[in-house]
Amino acid sequence: MGLAFFSKRRTLQLKPSVAPVGEAESAASRQQGALSSPSSQEQQQQQGQAERWQGPGKGSLSARWAAGSARSPSEGSDDLASVSGYCDIDSSECSGEGGAAGAAARRDCSHRFGIDYLRHPVAAYCQLPTPLRQLTSLPTPLRTIMVAARPTIEPSGGLRHYRDAMPRHVRRWSPFLAVVDEPGLPAGEIAGEGGKYHWVEIPIPPAYRLDLSGVASYEQYVSQVMGKNQRRNHRLRRQRWAQAGVLTLSYEPLVPGDKATVKQLWGLYRQNGERNGQLVVGKRDFWRIHLRTEGLHIMAVRDTSRQGALVCFATGVKCGDTLVSTWCGTDYSHPLARDCSCYVMTQYEFVRQAIADPEVRWLDLGALHRTIKAGSLCAEPHALSTYLRCKGRRLAQLLGLLAGRWFTLQRLEAAGVIRDV
C-alpha cells in the first residue's frame, strides 16, 4: 500500500515531457498483452495519469487545448451560448471531446497564467482587522488567492469550467481558490463535484463591457452608440491630441521574451498602481505574464519629441469573441499624460480595433472607473460574484461571516479600498 501510494505520487509529479508517440503506443500494447494482475493494473492506471497530465503528447489535455487554440477563431464560435464570450457547454466537451464546441471551449480555457487565472493579494481587496492584516502581510501562501478569472475580473471558465481554466497542481495546492461568475448561482451544483467542496459567494464590483454587435465602423459607434456628452468629450480629447502634435498611438504585438519592452511596461504599471493605491500583480507575476503569454498586444502612446518615449500603454488579448483590455500604465510625470487623456485615447483605439475584427463582439474593459468606462465609452455594467471554494463546512461558514462583515462593497468604498469613480 505504501509503495503503491508513493508510486502514484511520483506519477503526478513527473516533469512535462513524454515519450514519442510510437514508443507510447508500443508500451500500451505491451501492457494490454500482459496478465491482468494487481501490479499491471496499477501500471496502467499510472500510465493513464501520466498521459493525461503530461504534455504536449498525443492525446493529452495540453495537446487537445493546443489543437483547439491552433484552429481558426471562427470555428465553433456559433456554439458559444454564453453572452460574455466564455464557454458554457458540457464539461466533457471542455475536457477535449466534442467537436467544434469542444474546440471553442479549449480555446477559451487554456491554462494561461494572467489571462485565464491569476494570483491576487488578499489584503488589496478587503479591509481586514489588524491581526488578519498582519497575517496576510507575511511571506506565506496565505497572503494571496488564486482566482479563475480574466485580468478584468470577468469570468474565464466560470463555475462550470474553472478546472479547465486553472491547472490541477494550482487548484490542489492553493490555500484559497476563487471563481468569478454571475451572482446567485448554485455553485455546488454547477461545479459538479458531488458535495466535495463548499462555496461562499461574495459580491464584487461590476465589470464593464461594450457590445459592438451591429456596429460596422468607428464612425457609427461615435454617432449612434455615444450620447451627446460622450461625443462632445470625444471631440475635445481628439482636438487636444491633435494640438499637442507629438503623440502617436499604435497597436503592436508584444513579442514573447522581449525584456526591454516589458521593463518599460512594468515601470509605468508600477507608477499607475502606486498612484491608485494598489498593485494587482507584483513584479514577478507581471514579468511572467508579459514574457510568456502569446497573443498579447500593446496599445502604446509614444512621444516623438522624446525619441519615441513611452507615455502610456494598455495591453490587450483576444479571448474567443471578446477583446480584453488588460493591464495599463501611465507616465504621470509627462506633461501630456493627463492633458491629452492618454489612457482614454488608448481605450478609444481598443474600440476601433474590436470593430475592425469581424470575429469580435465584446470589448471587455474590466471593473471600477465607471466615469471613463460608462461615461466616456458607453460600456454597460455586468454584475459579478466571487465564489470561494472551501473543503469544510465550518470553514465556509466562517468565511461567510467574515465576508459579510469586512468584505461588503459599501464598506470597501467607504474605506477607500476600491474606487469605482
Side-chain angles (χ1 to χ4, degrees):
M1 291 293 291
L3 291 177
F5 176 77
F6 178 75
S7 63
K8 293 180 182 178
R9 294 281 291 185
R10 289 293 300 272
T11 302
L12 292 175
Q13 295 178 358
L14 289 174
K15 295 182 178 180
S17 59
V18 292
V21 177
E23 297 181 7
E25 292 179 351
S26 61
S29 61
R30 289 196 300 269
Q31 286 188 358
Q32 290 178 357
L35 295 176
S36 58
S37 60
S39 60
S40 64
Q41 292 178 0
E42 289 182 359
Q43 292 177 358
Q44 293 176 2
Q45 182 180 5
Q46 294 170 8
Q47 183 185 4
Q49 292 175 344
E51 291 178 354
R52 180 176 177 84
W53 293 112
Q54 290 175 343
K58 179 180 179 181
S60 65
L61 282 178
S62 56
R64 292 167 180 171
W65 280 313
S69 300
R71 300 186 183 183
S72 173
S74 61
E75 182 177 356
S77 60
D78 294 335
D79 296 302
L80 294 177
S82 173
V83 173
S84 62
Y86 62 90
C87 50
D88 189 14
I89 57 178
D90 240 15
S91 59
S92 61
E93 294 175 345
C94 202
S95 63
E97 308 167 2
R106 294 190 299 274
R107 183 170 61 248
D108 286 344
C109 306
S110 53
H111 288 195
R112 294 173 297 179
F113 177 77
I115 306 299
D116 300 309
Y117 71 101
L118 187 63
R119 182 188 297 112
H120 286 267
V122 175
Y125 293 97
C126 52
Q127 190 72 10
L128 296 173
T130 302
L132 294 180
R133 193 183 308 115
Q134 293 176 349
L135 179 63
T136 56
S137 64
L138 297 176
T140 65
L142 297 177
R143 68 186 300 180
T144 59
I145 179 171
M146 300 302 298
V147 182
R150 303 281 185 223
T152 54
I153 312 298
E154 280 276 7
S156 58
L159 289 167
R160 188 181 301 276
H161 300 298
Y162 79 93
R163 292 184 297 275
D164 298 295
M166 186 178 292
R168 186 186 183 190
H169 70 275
V170 174
R171 293 184 275 110
R172 184 175 183 181
W173 298 110
S174 298
F176 300 114
L177 189 148
V179 180
V180 175
D181 211 325
E182 296 182 356
L185 298 178
E189 298 178 8
I190 295 178
E193 291 156 327
K196 182 179 179 181
Y197 299 106
H198 301 275
W199 298 85
V200 179
E201 180 181 358
I202 302 176
I204 60 177
Y208 295 88
R209 66 167 71 128
L210 185 60
D211 186 0
L212 297 171
S213 59
V215 181
S217 64
Y218 185 78
E219 290 71 20
Q220 181 184 357
Y221 162 76
V222 175
S223 61
Q224 298 182 11
V225 179
M226 286 185 176
K228 181 179 179 180
N229 293 333
Q230 288 88 356
R231 287 196 297 269
R232 184 183 68 253
N233 293 333
H234 177 266
R235 183 176 63 255
L236 293 176
R237 289 183 177 117
R238 294 182 65 88
Q239 289 176 357
R240 289 195 297 267
W241 181 279
Q243 290 172 1
V246 295
L247 297 179
T248 62
L249 186 60
S250 61
Y251 192 54
E252 53 201 48
L254 177 60
V255 180
D258 188 353
K259 295 183 179 180
T261 301
V262 175
K263 184 178 181 180
Q264 297 181 53
L265 300 183
W266 165 250
L268 298 190
Y269 174 75
R270 183 178 59 185
Q271 281 192 46
N272 191 74
E274 292 174 351
R275 182 182 180 89
N276 291 281
Q278 62 181 2
L279 289 173
V280 178
V281 293
K283 181 178 181 179
R284 179 180 178 183
D285 287 345
F286 187 91
W287 278 72
R288 175 184 174 185
I289 294 168
H290 291 82
L291 287 177
R292 301 181 183 179
T293 304
E294 297 183 358
L296 277 178
H297 285 69
I298 312 173
M299 193 71 70
V301 177
R302 301 185 183 277
D303 186 351
T304 57
S305 66
R306 300 188 179 187
Q307 300 179 347
L310 189 63
V311 180
C312 178
F313 83 92
T315 53
V317 64
K318 192 168 78 170
C319 301
D321 64 349
T322 304
L323 179 60
V324 184
S325 176
T326 55
W327 319 104
C328 63
T330 303
D331 182 6
Y332 288 103
S333 63
H334 196 286
L336 298 178
R338 294 177 60 86
D339 294 343
C340 294
S341 304
C342 289
Y343 170 72
V344 184
M345 296 299 292
T346 62
Q347 302 309 299
Y348 284 150
E349 190 63 22
F350 266 119
V351 176
R352 189 188 300 273
Q353 294 293 330
I355 295 174
D357 192 337
E359 298 166 354
V360 172
R361 175 186 176 184
W362 299 95
L363 176 60
D364 181 6
L365 297 169
L368 306 181
H369 303 291
R370 63 173 178 263
T371 302
I372 295 175
K373 296 169 183 178
S376 298
L377 301 171
C378 303
E380 295 291 334
H382 175 62
L384 295 171
S385 288
T386 294
Y387 295 85
L388 292 178
R389 194 187 73 171
C390 307
K391 293 185 177 180
R393 184 183 299 274
R394 293 185 178 179
L395 178 59
Q397 293 175 349
L398 177 61
L399 289 179
L401 293 174
L402 293 176
R405 182 172 181 178
W406 287 299
F407 200 93
T408 62
L409 297 181
Q410 297 79 6
R411 184 186 182 98
L412 297 181
E413 288 183 356
V417 179
I418 58 176
R419 301 179 181 87
D420 192 8
V421 295

